[in-house]
Amino acid sequence: MVIKLSLKGIADVRQEGRNYFAACPAASLRKALARLIADFDCDFINSISGVDAGASIDVVYHVTVKGAVVSLTVTLPKLKPEVESVSDLFPGAALFERELMEMLGVKVLNHPTGGRLFLPDSFPNVHPLRKDGA
Amino acid sequence: LHEFIFPFGPQHPALKEPVHFKFEIEDEVIKGVSIRLGYAHRGIEKAFESRDYIKNIYLSERICGICSFSHSTTYAMTVEFLADVSVPKRADYIRTILLELGRLQSHMLWLGIAAHEIGFDTLFMYAWRDRELVLSAIEKICGARIHYGYNCLGGVKRDLPGSAIVELRSMLSALRPRVLEHIAMFGNDSTVAARCKGVGVLSEADAKRFCAVGPTARASGVPSDLRATGHYTAYDDLDFAPVVEKEGDVFARVVVRLKEMLQSCDLIEQALDLPGGPFKVIFPRRMKRAEAVGHAEVPRGELFYYIRSNATFTPERVKVRTPTYANFSSVESMLVGHTIAEIPIVFASIDPCMSCTDRVTLVGPSGNERIVRGEDL
C-alpha cells in the first residue's frame, strides 16, 4: 500500500520498504502531525527518538499511518534545542518527551508535567545521550 | 479533606521490579498517578553506540530476560532494513517459531505471577511447571533457555534439524491440553472473577488515546497486532486472527493472554512446515549512512527500534521503545477514580500495604509539602 503524503512544509518524503522518512521544520511539526491525524487516521505514536547528530540535535517522531511507520525528523540547533510538545495531539507521547528532555537536553515547550523520568534527582545537569554527555 | 501523596516503590516488599509511583489520594480514591522509572537503567542505548553491529545482537538480547529473542530479532530486522538485505524464507520461519515459543513461556510466566498475586499458588505452580516444557524445547534448539544466542544478522546461526521439528510437535501435543486446563481453571474460578472482573478498566477510547500496545490494547477492543499487519518474518503466510476482548478490565487481559497461548501453539504447528533453502545470508559488517525503523509484536506489545548508521562499524544511534514503556501512559487511566485497594490487582503483581509505608507527604492548601512520619499518625 502506498500512501501519498503531501504535507505543506514537508518536502522530500522518502519511502523505504513500507516505511516513510521525511524532514520537517520545527515550526510545521505540529501542523504536519495534526494533518496526519485528521486526514490519514493516524492515532498512534510509536516513539520519539532523539539523536545527537554532531552539529545539531535531531528529534525523530515516529507515527503509524495505515500500518506504515512515518518518521518525521526535526533538526534543532545544538545551542538552543527547543520544540513544542505534541502530547496534546498524542497523550501517549508525554513520557517520550520527558525522556527526550533529560537524555538529550531538548527543551519541550508546553509539556503537561515535565520533570525527570529515568534519571535520579541527584544526577548532574548533563545529558547522557549527547555524544559528549558521558 | 486532605489530599495525600502516597509513594509506592521503588523498593517495596510487594514489588518484583523497581518502579516508583506517586499516587495522589483523596479519601482513598486515586486522583492522579505520577511515574518515575530508571531504577534498572543500564545505559544500553548509549552502549549500543560503542559496539559493532554484531556484538549489538547480544547486547539487545540482554535488555530483557523474558523477551530476549524478541529484542534480538527486532534489532536484527532493523539492521537488515538498514543494509537492505533480505533474510531467507527458512530463517523467517525459524525466527517465527522461536518468537512464538518466547511468547508461550512469557505468557506462562505472567500467568503464574498473576495467580500468585491473587493467592492462587496452585495455579502458579502448574503454570511454571508447564512453562518448563517450552523452556526445554528452546534449550534443545538453541542450547540456552533464556538468552537464546540464536539470531545473527542475515538469518539464524544454526539450522533447525528434522529431529527438533519432531520433538517440537510432541511437545506441543503435550502442552495443548495443559493450556486448555489453565484456561478452564482461570476462566471458571469464582475467586479469580471476583478479583479481576470490572477492575482496572481501560476503555477503548483511552487505549487508543494513550497509544496502548499488545494484550493491554487488545483486551480493550483495539485489534492492534503487528503479526497481522506488520508483514515481518513468516506471519503473512500463517493463518490466524488477533485475539480481541471488549471489556478492558483485568480479566479481559487475562483472557487475551490465555487465548494467545493456544494461538501460539497453532502458529508454531503451522510454521513447522518449514520451507527449504539456506537459513542465513552473508551480511556486511559496515553499514552505509542510513536510518531504519523496525517493530514486532512481542509478548507485551509492540517493540520498536530506530537505528541510524554513519558509514562505520558502529551505529550512530539505537533507540529502543519497549512495550511496557508505551503502556505506562495507560496506567493512569486504569487507576484514576479507583481506590487504593485496587492498585495491586491492576498491577497484578503488587500487594501494597499502607502500614508498610512509613511516611506520607501531606500537601497543604498552600502546596507546601510536610513529611508525616508513622509515629505522627
Side-chain angles (χ1 to χ4, degrees):
Chain A
M1 182 186 52
V2 178
I3 307 164
K4 268 212 120 47
L5 266 184
S6 52
L7 296 172
K8 219 179 158 192
I10 297 184
D12 196 24
V13 180
R14 204 155 38 81
Q15 189 180 1
E16 276 177 29
R18 300 179 55 254
N19 301 323
Y20 296 81
F21 295 89
C24 177
S28 42
L29 171 75
R30 283 179 55 85
K31 255 186 219 152
L33 289 175
R35 261 297 291 287
L36 286 174
I37 294 169
D39 298 353
F40 295 89
D41 288 337
C42 166
D43 60 359
F44 187 78
I45 185 157
N46 300 71
S47 185
I48 299 174
S49 308
V51 185
D52 181 350
S56 62
I57 302 280
D58 288 357
V59 183
V60 192
Y61 293 81
H62 312 278
V63 294
T64 296
V65 179
K66 299 187 197 300
V69 179
V70 177
S71 302
L72 299 175
T73 302
V74 175
T75 301
L76 304 172
K78 206 162 196 178
L79 287 176
K80 203 184 175 207
E82 279 184 3
V83 71
E84 285 275 330
S85 169
V86 298
S87 52
D88 53 333
L89 302 172
F90 296 99
L95 290 183
F96 303 151
E97 287 182 334
R98 278 169 71 185
E99 182 189 1
L100 182 71
M101 285 190 267
E102 62 183 6
M103 290 297 178
L104 282 131
V106 173
K107 196 168 172 194
V108 178
L109 306 168
N110 305 324
H111 190 276
T113 58
R116 284 192 162 159
L117 179 65
F118 286 107
L119 299 178
D121 290 329
S122 57
F123 200 79
N125 194 27
V126 292
H127 307 295
L129 282 177
R130 292 241 183 142
K131 296 289 179 195
D132 54 2
Chain B
L1 200 67
H2 290 297
E3 191 179 290
F4 287 96
I5 303 251
F6 164 44
F8 196 90
Q11 283 83 32
H12 192 280
L15 280 174
K16 302 224 162 15
E17 289 174 284
V19 59
H20 178 68
F21 296 98
K22 260 187 195 164
F23 295 105
E24 286 165 37
I25 307 283
E26 201 182 292
D27 195 22
E28 286 279 310
V29 178
I30 298 164
K31 295 286 173 189
V33 185
S34 64
I35 299 168
R36 283 296 286 273
L37 307 168
Y39 298 96
H41 200 282
R42 292 148 292 166
I44 285 184
E45 286 183 21
K46 187 85 176 171
F48 273 120
E49 294 171 10
S50 58
R51 285 163 176 79
D52 66 34
Y53 288 95
I54 295 170
K55 285 181 183 161
N56 279 339
I57 300 175
Y58 304 97
L59 185 60
S60 70
E61 196 156 76
R62 275 149 187 82
I63 289 175
C64 174
I66 309 296
C67 315
S68 50
F69 194 78
S70 313
H71 271 281
S72 64
T73 308
T74 315
Y75 167 78
M77 286 194 317
T78 314
V79 177
E80 285 150 10
F81 286 138
L82 207 60
D84 209 6
V85 171
S86 39
V87 172
K89 200 109 192 138
R90 190 175 174 85
D92 271 343
Y93 271 73
I94 297 174
R95 279 182 181 174
T96 308
I97 292 168
L98 282 159
L99 281 172
E100 289 307 317
L101 285 171
R103 187 183 321 275
L104 267 175
Q105 63 90 4
S106 172
H107 280 0
M108 292 180 117
L109 177 129
W110 180 86
L111 179 68
I113 290 175
H116 170 70
E117 293 302 341
I118 58 172
F120 198 167
D121 270 356
T122 315
L123 182 55
F124 159 65
M125 301 284 184
Y126 283 155
W128 281 42
R129 177 196 68 189
D130 297 344
R131 179 171 173 259
E132 285 300 307
L133 287 174
V134 186
L135 288 180
S136 302
I138 293 168
E139 189 179 11
K140 274 184 187 149
I141 297 168
C142 309
R145 289 153 50 94
I146 303 299
H147 296 299
Y148 305 6
Y150 195 67
N151 261 320
C152 65
L153 297 177
V156 291
K157 271 189 186 164
R158 290 178 296 278
D159 200 5
L160 195 68
S163 61
I165 294 174
V166 175
E167 280 182 33
L168 271 176
R169 284 222 164 92
S170 72
M171 186 279 283
L172 285 177
S173 57
L175 183 70
R176 207 185 292 264
R178 296 199 187 171
V179 173
L180 287 169
E181 215 171 277
H182 293 314
I183 292 177
M185 243 190 295
F186 227 101
N188 300 330
D189 190 88
S190 55
T191 322
V192 174
R195 297 286 307 263
C196 301
K197 277 192 179 159
V199 172
V201 177
L202 180 69
S203 68
E204 186 179 343
D206 275 353
K208 279 188 174 163
R209 213 158 69 86
F210 291 110
C211 302
V213 294
T216 310
R218 290 196 285 279
S220 296
V222 183
S224 77
D225 191 334
L226 279 171
R227 292 178 291 172
T229 57
H231 307 291
Y232 69 99
T233 64
Y235 288 113
D236 281 357
D237 302 346
L238 308 178
D239 179 31
F240 75 104
V243 179
V244 180
E245 293 287 321
K246 289 270 168 242
E247 290 77 13
D249 55 2
V250 172
F251 193 74
R253 294 195 268 280
V254 175
V255 170
V256 165
R257 290 185 173 98
L258 284 168
K259 287 186 178 167
E260 281 185 1
M261 280 156 57
L262 271 187
Q263 185 185 51
S264 291
C265 294
D266 289 343
L267 284 168
I268 296 167
E269 198 91 56
Q270 291 179 46
L272 280 174
D273 294 322
L274 287 175
F279 55 90
K280 65 175 165 188
V281 290
I282 290 173
F283 204 83
R285 293 196 67 182
R286 187 202 292 258
M287 300 297 145
K288 57 185 192 293
R289 194 178 293 273
E291 58 185 340
V293 298
H295 53 171
E297 188 72 28
V298 309
R300 285 156 188 79
E302 185 213 37
L303 171 64
F304 181 90
Y305 270 71
Y306 168 75
I307 305 182
R308 189 184 278 196
S309 55
N310 54 7
T312 64
F313 294 102
T314 57
E316 173 84 12
R317 173 84 166 96
V318 179
K319 164 77 191 163
V320 186
R321 201 275 282 132
T322 57
T324 307
Y325 182 27
N327 276 336
F328 266 124
S329 300
S330 311
V331 164
E332 189 172 344
S333 156
M334 287 181 207
L335 281 170
V336 169
H338 289 42
T339 60
I340 293 173
E342 282 162 335
I343 297 169
I345 314 162
V346 173
F347 289 121
S349 58
I350 298 171
D351 187 22
C353 170
M354 277 301 273
S355 62
C356 295
T357 316
D358 77 328
R359 56 181 200 174
V360 291
T361 309
L362 184 65
V363 184
S366 62
N368 293 332
E369 291 192 357
R370 181 161 69 86
I371 306 295
V372 186
R373 300 196 174 279
E375 305 86 74
D376 305 337
L377 296 171

